[in-house]
Amino acid sequence: MREAIELSLDNIDHGGGPFGAVIVKDGRIIARGANRVTASNDPTAHAEVNAIREAARVLGTFDLSGCEIYTSCEPCPMCLGAIYWAHLDKVYYGNTKADAKAIGFDDSFIYDELALPMDERHLKAIPLMHDEAIKAFEKWENKSDKIEY
Ligand SMILES: [Zn+2]
């Protein structure tokens, strides 16, 4: 956690937001990430996502089971989703989402949206061309050599 916090502090001096994360496997840091949203014009470049991408590259796998993430702040919904998809075993966090909100990084609107039924959310999601889209799922379902994840 100390390393993640150090990354969050250091990142402020290098054009990023005050967020850092490290991923640990077998007691050793295998990947680091810092927030690079504005520096790289990438809205998904949060510290946790960057650390996950690095860990997956280092280990050569999309499954990070057996790894734990230490992040300087409680993960936002996107990062939490990425953590689930990566199958990380545990999350340790320093600052809370309330701490983040207090300095202008408020992700509570996303949590609020997720709690609503689709048709009541501010972001409209409109079903379209289902009959054609489903063909990819049927093709996948029938593929005999697919890699499940
Ligand atoms: Zn995030």
Side-chain angles (χ1 to χ4, degrees):
M1 179 56 79
R2 192 156 287 128
E3 177 80 14
I5 293 169
E6 192 58 41
L7 282 165
S8 73
L9 282 164
D10 192 53
N11 199 45
I12 298 168
D13 301 323
H14 295 92
F19 303 95
V22 301
I23 292 178
V24 171
K25 184 178 175 66
D26 301 327
R28 221 169 41 82
I29 293 174
I30 60 160
R32 293 169 173 78
N35 178 290
R36 305 305 296 163
V37 170
T38 57
S40 59
N41 289 323
D42 179 355
T44 68
H46 288 194
E48 299 94 322
V49 167
N50 287 340
I52 286 168
R53 287 181 176 146
E54 176 67 7
R57 190 190 62 75
V58 166
L59 296 177
T61 177
F62 52 81
D63 185 346
L64 301 180
S65 298
C67 298
E68 297 177 336
I69 188 165
Y70 293 75
T71 175
S72 68
C73 185
E74 193 174 349
C76 77
M78 175 183 71
C79 292
L80 193 58
I83 288 165
Y84 276 110
W85 282 118
H87 303 290
L88 288 157
D89 289 359
K90 198 176 288 182
V91 180
Y92 298 93
Y93 62 93
N95 292 314
T96 66
K97 57 186 177 186
D99 296 326
K101 183 176 183 174
I103 62 160
F105 294 97
D106 184 12
D107 58 11
S108 61
F109 71 99
I110 303 175
Y111 284 104
D112 293 345
E113 283 273 285
L114 289 174
L116 294 172
M118 285 277 262
D119 59 349
E120 292 178 27
R121 294 179 187 164
H122 288 94
L123 179 65
K124 296 301 169 206
I126 298 116
L128 203 59
M129 298 177 67
H130 179 264
D131 290 350
E132 291 186 39
I134 198 70
K135 289 175 184 163
F137 283 7
E138 291 165 355
K139 184 176 178 179
W140 173 259
E141 189 66 15
N142 293 324
K143 184 175 167 64
S144 59
D145 60 344
K146 61 191 168 207
I147 299 171
E148 306 263 2
Y149 61 94

